[in-house]
Amino acid sequence: MSMLHWAVFFPFVAALFVPLMYKRFRWIHTGWFVLIIPILLFIYFFIFIPKTSNGEQVMASLAWIPSLDVNFDVYLDGLSLLFVLLITGIGALVILYSIFYLDKDKEKLHNFYVYLLIFMGAMLGLVLSDNLIVLYMFWEFTSFSSFLLIGYWHHRERSRYGAQKSMLITVLGGLSMLGGSVLLAFMGETFSVRELIGKSGELTAHPLFNATILLILLGAFTKSAQFPFHIWLPDAMEAPTPVSAYLHSATMVKAGIYLVARLSPVFAESGLWLWLIAGFGIATLFWGSFSAVKQTDLKGILAFSTISQLGMIMSLLGLGAAALHYETMNENIYMAATVAAVFHLINHATFKGSLFMAAGIIDHETGTRDIRKLGGLMNFMPITFTITLIGALSMAGVPPFNGFLSKEMFFAAMILVTEMDLFNLDTWGVLLPVIAWTGSIFTFIYSLIIAFKPFTGVFRPEMLEKKPHEAPIGMLIPPVILASLVIIFGLFPNLLASSILEPVVAAIQPGLAKNEFHVHISPWHGFQPELFMTIGVIIFGVLLYLTLNKWNKIYGILPDRLSLNSFYDSLLKGGEKVFISITKLFMTGYIRTYLVYIFLFFIVSLGFTLFWKDAFAFDSENTAPIGIYELILATIIAIGAIAILFAKSRLTSIIILGAVGYMVSIFFVLFRAPDLALTQLVIETISVALFLLCFYHLPKLPSRKEERMTFKLNNALISIGVGVIVALIALSSHSNKLFDSISGYYLENAYKEAGGKNIVNVILVDFRGLDTMFEITVLGIAALGIFAMIKLRLTRRKLTDENE
Amino acid sequence: MFEIVLQISLLCVSISMLGLLYRLIKGPTVPDRVVALDAMGINLIAIMALTSMLLDTTAYLEGILLLGILSFIGTVAFSKFIEKGEVIENDRDL
């Protein structure tokens, strides 16, 4: 157990103590205790920065199931360090924010912080583990704790709906990712990511390679809310705002991005990987920003904007994979895409976190998040307005903030795509910058909506539930910190360049020489095409924002019925209906139907096997001669058995059944089994008497006359089929005797060993006495059961006929 | 010679069983059928006796006795059922 392991376990262990603290120290907000944990972790991980920026990695192993190659191996390089810093840093800010957001008397704080700590530990484990199975375990932990956090206010119907939806979609992806991991481990014969990266060359040629890509990407896309799996994220906004800020903007939704970045070295050789990620990313970017504009809920806008920004990061990661195909460093301008992806990942975490917190403040202080009700809050909440403005302008990509830099790098990378000569990128690649540019215009529009709609315009106090005022200082500190980071990273981007960005890029693209590239982000790089693209975005964005009321009717064109959400809903409802009807189709509740299934299966499987294996054989060599009287007696049994089917009254069938039973005993006589014959006679008589006993208790219903069994063709065919199959099997098995009987041993030894002359009885009580004992037990149970059923009738119902 | 006689007797009894079966199935009333079943039991005794002679064994003698008893009990049970509608009356006093 190294310190790194303890760092992962620390939140889990702390979660155990949260309820205790909550019970003991009711007068202190539980969040203050919890706040210490991420701060300690952040400081601990911060110390690793010099190490990773020198290109070192920290590795520690902990045996869990060594025999299955499943070990809790932690591996800390630039990429995981970036994520752990995000998780712990934003985690600390979010907990501080939640202390002021959640009321200590009204809310169940112990639940909240336990879930949040589980989530934090799971995220840490997810980004630190090197073993695919352990990674999957933490992956599911994050889905699970996110489910709990979304459903935190479980008395609300919408919360439960959102929690269920996110659970179903992310678990679907998680399971598919498990499948992908298993395939990957099968191909590479190891669960370790680093070893798989080492083997990436031989993996590419494997026939399962493309299937693995699809499965892994399904997992990453569902987690990171990529089109068309993004639908869970807007519904997850029912969670408390700290959760939305933490899980659904900064950490969990980036787990898919982490997975893609982490496994890029394994898969990046493939064109499928590049096209899928870039294609889905860019589609998500456009669809997310397009849909964000029509939202009226602040958090709804932020959710769709998160979707769109995640799509942007994803598409950049996809394009970054192209860098592997160019050997020489001087030409390798495609690395820029990866740098842009990582840089934007950091930027997005900062500005989106602050925006969510600002939205939470507005909600907390006015009682609504609906932008149609909000307006003119600038005078009441100047600090919140400043935070929102900084965040929104950064998101829109306006110069002094960090979003501008990453958007410029994004455009630059998108323009470079058109110059690639791989995988048809030179023909179809031109679509990417065009879609990216249009998406960015919509990004600009919704950023302006967030920044100005709630704060400018007419103040309507009658629409608000509370009298608005500025938030308490503790609630403002975290977003202020994030907003100042937005400005700092915007003005001094090279703070991050060598400390964070370079090791991350080295981790995503380990094949490229480590010290040969240097990330340098300059806020001004001359009149490049991307600058004109940004200017175009700003001009079109402002124009479209001002004319928003004129053109936002286009959102009505696509009816609700055709949206992905209603598709999801109808899939659930329709699926339930279909499966219920299928179940009803074959689960009729009639035992006769089930018997038909059983016998049909019997006929089909046995008949098919006989036919397929060509097993039928008929051999008349070992047969004994048949006397004519035996023939007649057999005919009597056959006629009797058939006559039962056509008997008109029940009494007649019983009498014929008795006759058939007696005839069977005669066959025991003819075949020299006196003991069997004796037993058969007694049992036959008793069971006939029992049948007669039952008759007395049969209900006398006027509607149910005793009549001949009705003829049903299906039943007749099935019964004939069963008879034929059994006869065929009996004939074949008689003709295929492989070994002699062991009865010779009993004949010799019955008297010698056991001292009895009656072989049957010696076998029953001596050689195979155990069987007899348990058959006695069966009889005992039957007798007791009958006694109990007759005596222990607790409720005497008038109509006890089950078939009614 | 003796064996052939036994075989012929078995054949005859079997044919008479066939006749009884006809009555058993066809018999217009239930008592007809019960009597047929009773007679079948008697015929079974005959078959058992003939077989034990044919096989030259005494192992079936208990069977013959048992069948005699059972055939009687069976017939009585049926008769009682036809007469009273039940086989075992448990609350005779009431």
Side-chain angles (χ1 to χ4, degrees):
Chain A
M1 285 280 269
S2 68
M3 273 300 283
L4 273 176
H5 286 112
W6 280 115
V8 174
F9 289 135
F10 188 38
F12 288 106
V13 176
L16 290 177
F17 291 99
V18 166
L20 191 77
M21 291 304 204
Y22 178 72
K23 280 263 159 64
R24 277 285 162 82
F25 304 101
R26 281 306 287 261
W27 64 90
I28 305 174
H29 196 286
T30 318
W32 290 112
F33 302 113
V34 179
L35 182 60
I36 306 164
I37 297 156
I39 291 177
L40 284 178
L41 286 172
F42 183 77
I43 295 169
Y44 171 68
F45 283 119
F46 200 78
I47 300 170
F48 281 98
I49 286 184
K51 266 193 181 174
T52 51
S53 54
N54 285 339
E56 287 175 45
Q57 291 97 24
V58 185
M59 177 84 204
S61 189
L62 174 66
W64 183 21
I65 317 174
S67 56
L68 296 179
D69 188 28
V70 175
N71 293 311
F72 186 16
D73 298 335
V74 287
Y75 176 70
L76 187 82
D77 61 355
L79 181 63
S80 3
L81 187 71
L82 166 65
F83 272 91
V84 291
L85 288 177
L86 279 180
I87 293 160
T88 51
I90 296 186
L93 296 177
V94 158
I95 289 173
L96 179 64
Y97 178 79
S98 72
I99 292 173
F100 294 90
Y101 186 84
L102 295 172
D103 192 284
K104 80 170 182 293
D105 299 320
K106 289 180 199 153
E107 302 284 356
K108 285 168 282 187
L109 290 176
H110 52 313
N111 291 352
F112 182 79
Y113 288 112
V114 167
Y115 302 160
L116 202 68
L117 283 175
I118 292 175
F119 172 77
M120 191 185 288
M123 249 349 258
L124 287 178
L126 169 64
V127 297
L128 282 175
S129 61
D130 182 53
N131 191 292
L132 281 173
I133 295 297
V134 178
L135 196 149
Y136 169 72
M137 184 187 80
F138 285 116
W139 183 279
E140 288 300 4
F141 255 123
T142 63
S143 300
F144 170 67
S145 50
S146 158
F147 167 78
L148 290 172
L149 283 166
I150 296 169
Y152 175 65
W153 286 314
H154 50 78
H155 51 273
R156 294 188 192 163
E157 202 268 331
R158 291 296 303 172
S159 292
R160 296 199 301 272
Y161 172 78
Q164 186 207 36
K165 191 174 187 179
S166 70
M167 185 76 168
L168 286 177
I169 293 177
T170 52
V171 167
L172 168 81
L175 287 175
S176 123
M177 186 209 130
L178 176 66
S181 308
V182 171
L183 281 187
L184 201 55
F186 172 71
M187 294 191 297
E189 290 171 345
T190 172
F191 278 118
S192 163
V193 177
R194 276 175 322 111
E195 288 172 32
L196 284 169
I197 290 171
K199 290 181 182 174
S200 62
E202 52 186 287
L203 292 182
T204 317
H206 202 281
L208 288 172
F209 189 69
N210 283 346
T212 315
I213 287 184
L214 289 178
L215 286 174
I216 295 263
L217 280 188
L218 182 62
F221 285 174
T222 49
K223 198 75 163 181
S224 282
Q226 298 294 299
F227 186 86
F229 307 108
H230 64 274
I231 49 171
W232 66 268
L233 191 62
D235 281 303
M237 290 302 128
E238 293 300 321
T241 305
V243 172
S244 311
Y246 188 39
L247 273 69
H248 306 127
S249 74
T251 52
M252 190 180 91
V253 287
K254 290 188 176 133
I257 295 202
Y258 169 79
L259 189 72
V260 168
R262 180 53 90 201
L263 294 177
S264 268
V266 183
F267 295 113
E269 292 280 332
S270 150
L272 182 69
W273 176 263
L274 192 156
W275 265 113
L276 274 179
I277 298 180
F280 273 91
I282 210 83
T284 313
L285 163 71
F286 176 76
W287 187 249
S289 54
F290 178 71
S291 311
V293 178
K294 73 171 168 180
Q295 303 298 315
T296 54
D297 177 29
L298 270 181
K299 279 173 88 176
I301 302 177
L302 289 174
F304 276 105
S305 102
T306 304
I307 292 166
S308 145
Q309 310 275 324
L310 290 171
M312 172 174 158
I313 300 172
M314 202 61 109
S315 64
L316 283 170
L317 279 178
L319 295 181
L324 276 186
H325 297 275
Y326 296 90
E327 293 292 328
T328 49
M329 271 314 296
N330 295 336
E331 292 172 24
N332 209 335
I333 38 183
Y334 303 109
M335 295 273 299
T338 311
V339 178
V342 180
F343 190 48
H344 192 71
L345 181 85
I346 303 169
N347 296 341
H348 176 249
T350 55
F351 67 68
K352 192 52 65 67
S354 68
L355 281 175
F356 263 111
M357 289 176 186
I361 290 172
I362 295 171
D363 185 19
H364 203 259
E365 305 306 336
T366 62
T368 182
R369 299 192 309 246
D370 195 328
I371 53 170
R372 288 168 300 190
K373 296 180 183 171
L374 294 165
L377 293 175
M378 202 198 292
N379 296 330
F380 298 94
M381 307 177 166
I383 306 175
T384 314
F385 173 59
T386 317
I387 296 164
T388 314
L389 193 65
I390 293 171
L393 291 182
S394 176
M395 183 158 73
V398 174
F401 308 109
N402 58 5
F404 168 69
L405 299 172
S406 44
K407 186 135 291 178
E408 291 278 275
M409 291 158 78
F410 170 59
F411 284 147
M414 283 295 160
I415 293 168
L416 287 177
V417 170
T418 49
E419 295 167 15
M420 285 188 197
D421 46 2
L422 291 164
F423 314 129
N424 298 331
L425 272 175
D426 42 355
T427 48
W428 289 98
V430 73
L431 274 177
L432 292 178
V434 173
I435 299 174
W437 189 72
T438 347
S440 297
I441 294 177
F442 283 103
T443 307
F444 197 86
I445 300 167
Y446 70 69
S447 301
L448 291 185
I449 293 177
I450 291 178
F452 294 114
K453 277 273 162 79
F455 294 101
T456 58
V458 196
F459 175 55
R460 282 168 297 179
E462 74 282 356
M463 301 280 271
L464 304 177
E465 289 170 25
K466 298 175 184 170
K467 194 177 148 33
H469 56 82
E470 188 58 272
I473 183 78
M475 229 163 151
L476 286 172
I477 291 172
V480 165
I481 293 174
L482 286 174
S484 41
L485 282 180
V486 168
I487 299 175
I488 292 170
F489 292 157
L491 295 179
F492 310 104
N494 290 312
L495 276 180
L496 293 170
S498 64
S499 58
I500 305 266
L501 291 181
E502 279 177 21
V504 175
V505 175
I508 297 178
Q509 299 184 330
L512 303 170
K514 286 199 175 64
N515 295 317
E516 281 181 36
F517 72 92
H518 288 289
V519 176
H520 187 78
I521 305 165
S522 55
W524 177 255
H525 33 69
F527 289 99
Q528 297 291 325
E530 52 262 33
L531 185 69
F532 296 113
M533 283 172 88
T534 305
I535 293 171
V537 165
I538 294 177
I539 293 170
F540 275 98
V542 170
L543 282 179
L544 284 173
Y545 173 68
L546 293 176
T547 54
L548 188 60
N549 291 330
K550 299 214 171 85
W551 59 268
N552 67 3
K553 289 184 191 70
I554 58 159
Y555 288 107
I557 293 174
L558 188 72
D560 246 9
R561 204 157 38 79
L562 290 175
S563 71
L564 282 167
N565 266 323
S566 66
F567 174 72
Y568 164 84
D569 287 336
S570 56
L571 192 73
L572 275 198
K573 268 191 200 138
E576 210 173 297
K577 251 185 221 161
V578 167
F579 289 120
I580 285 175
S581 61
I582 287 177
T583 310
K584 275 188 177 161
L585 203 66
F586 66 88
M587 298 285 284
T588 54
Y590 291 112
I591 203 160
R592 57 171 178 260
T593 327
Y594 305 143
L595 285 176
V596 165
Y597 300 151
I598 293 169
F599 285 130
L600 269 182
F601 176 76
F602 181 85
I603 295 170
V604 170
S605 63
L606 292 181
F608 180 75
T609 315
L610 265 185
F611 172 75
W612 186 251
K613 293 274 173 193
D614 199 16
F616 180 71
F618 182 67
D619 176 17
S620 58
E621 250 178 50
N622 285 325
T623 47
I626 305 171
I628 182 138
Y629 56 96
E630 284 169 329
L631 209 60
I632 294 174
L633 292 175
T635 320
I636 292 172
I637 290 194
I639 293 173
I642 293 167
I644 292 174
L645 297 177
F646 298 99
K648 219 172 179 181
S649 80
R650 288 165 179 163
L651 203 54
T652 314
S653 355
I654 293 301
I655 295 170
I656 301 174
L657 190 66
V660 171
Y662 280 167
M663 296 309 295
V664 170
S665 76
I666 268 309
F667 273 92
F668 288 140
V669 171
L670 291 177
F671 296 145
R672 300 169 206 192
D675 294 296
L676 281 184
L678 283 178
T679 320
Q680 166 69 21
L681 281 170
V682 178
I683 297 299
E684 194 56 45
T685 314
I686 292 174
S687 42
V688 165
L690 281 178
F691 276 122
L692 290 177
L693 206 62
C694 293
F695 272 17
Y696 178 70
H697 295 285
L698 279 180
K700 289 190 174 54
L701 295 170
S703 64
R704 197 174 289 180
K705 274 185 214 153
E706 272 200 80
E707 56 189 16
R708 187 171 292 157
M709 198 169 64
T710 49
F711 178 78
K712 288 202 184 75
L713 187 66
N714 290 344
N715 294 354
L717 286 178
I718 288 169
S719 53
I720 290 171
V722 171
V724 168
I725 288 286
V726 172
L728 287 179
I729 291 175
L731 287 176
S732 320
S733 59
H734 178 78
S735 313
N736 283 319
K737 270 185 190 158
L738 298 177
F739 306 105
D740 284 337
S741 164
I742 57 162
S743 55
Y745 172 83
Y746 293 127
L747 279 175
E748 276 174 28
N749 292 303
Y751 189 69
K752 232 181 349 188
E753 302 276 340
K757 285 181 181 162
N758 186 330
I759 299 178
V760 175
N761 290 358
V762 167
I763 289 176
L764 281 180
V765 300
D766 207 315
F767 289 122
R768 309 283 307 269
L770 213 59
D771 295 351
T772 315
M773 187 175 84
F774 288 111
E775 267 154 38
I776 292 170
T777 316
V778 168
L779 278 180
I781 291 171
L784 284 175
I786 292 165
F787 180 76
M789 279 196 288
I790 293 171
K791 282 289 171 190
L792 295 179
R793 271 198 290 184
L794 297 176
T795 49
R796 278 179 180 275
R797 282 186 220 132
K798 290 281 177 201
L799 283 169
T800 45
D801 191 352
E802 205 187 349
N803 293 328
E804 284 299 33
Chain B
M1 183 64 200
F2 183 58
E3 200 165 305
I4 295 169
V5 171
L6 286 178
Q7 298 263 14
I8 292 169
S9 326
L10 267 174
L11 187 63
C12 294
V13 181
S14 304
I15 291 168
S16 76
M17 290 282 270
L18 209 56
L20 286 170
L21 184 73
Y22 173 76
R23 186 45 58 206
L24 190 75
I25 294 168
K26 192 72 189 169
T29 63
V30 176
D32 285 327
R33 296 192 169 106
V34 174
V35 172
L37 187 65
D38 191 54
M40 273 179 112
I42 306 300
N43 268 9
L44 285 181
I45 293 176
I47 292 179
M48 263 196 212
L50 287 171
T51 318
S52 67
M53 275 191 269
L54 196 64
L55 298 176
D56 197 16
T57 169
T58 56
Y60 295 113
L61 297 186
E62 298 102 323
I64 292 171
L65 286 174
L66 188 74
L67 193 52
I69 300 167
L70 289 178
S71 170
F72 171 71
I73 293 176
T75 313
V76 168
F78 273 116
S79 316
K80 210 172 163 200
F81 182 81
I82 294 164
E83 193 182 315
K84 299 194 172 176
E86 66 182 310
V87 184
I88 303 163
E89 298 155 275
N90 38 11
D91 41 5
R92 188 178 289 231
D93 305 330
L94 296 174

